Each structure stands twice: as C-alpha cells, then as structure tokens.
Amino acid sequence: MSSENLVKMANQIAHYFDSEPDRALAVQGVRQHLQSFWTPAMRRQLAEWSEAHAGEGLDPKVREALV
C-alpha cells in the first residue's frame, strides 16, 4: 500500500476521535485502532514515513499514537 494512502487512512482514524474531549483518550483510541486493525507492516511503513517527513501531513494524534 502506498504511504500516501496510509497517511490518509490514519488521518481519517484520528478525525473520528476529534469529538473525544480527552486528548489522551483520543490518542489512545488511534493507537488501539492501529494496533487492532493494521498489520505490523502497515504500522512500520507509516512510522518510517512519519520519521522521514518529520510527521508533516499527519494529524497530531496520529504522531502521538506512533510514539
């Protein structure tokens, strides 16, 4: 899968949690979704892309969830 698609999907997941008033819970929700539904290869590819691009273009919740 292309990195651009992974970024788009990760941002969509993060936007789902925009209505969560507790930021820590929102980040945990993103992290849990990535752990539960993404393959290790997808998570690794997104993390590598994020590192190479300084997280630019990723929702801040996704960047936090990847740490």
Side-chain angles (χ1 to χ4, degrees), residues 8-55:
K8 179 181 175 183
M9 291 188 323
N11 284 338
Q12 288 173 335
I13 294 163
H15 294 312
Y16 173 82
F17 289 97
D18 282 347
S19 62
E20 172 57 61
D22 185 328
R23 181 172 177 77
L25 286 178
V27 170
Q28 180 57 35
V30 173
R31 182 179 295 121
Q32 184 61 47
H33 183 93
L34 295 176
Q35 288 290 327
S36 296
F37 300 107
W38 285 35
T39 66
M42 291 168 70
R43 293 191 306 268
R44 186 171 42 254
Q45 184 179 349
L46 181 64
E48 289 170 357
W49 183 93
S50 177
E51 187 174 318
H53 295 88

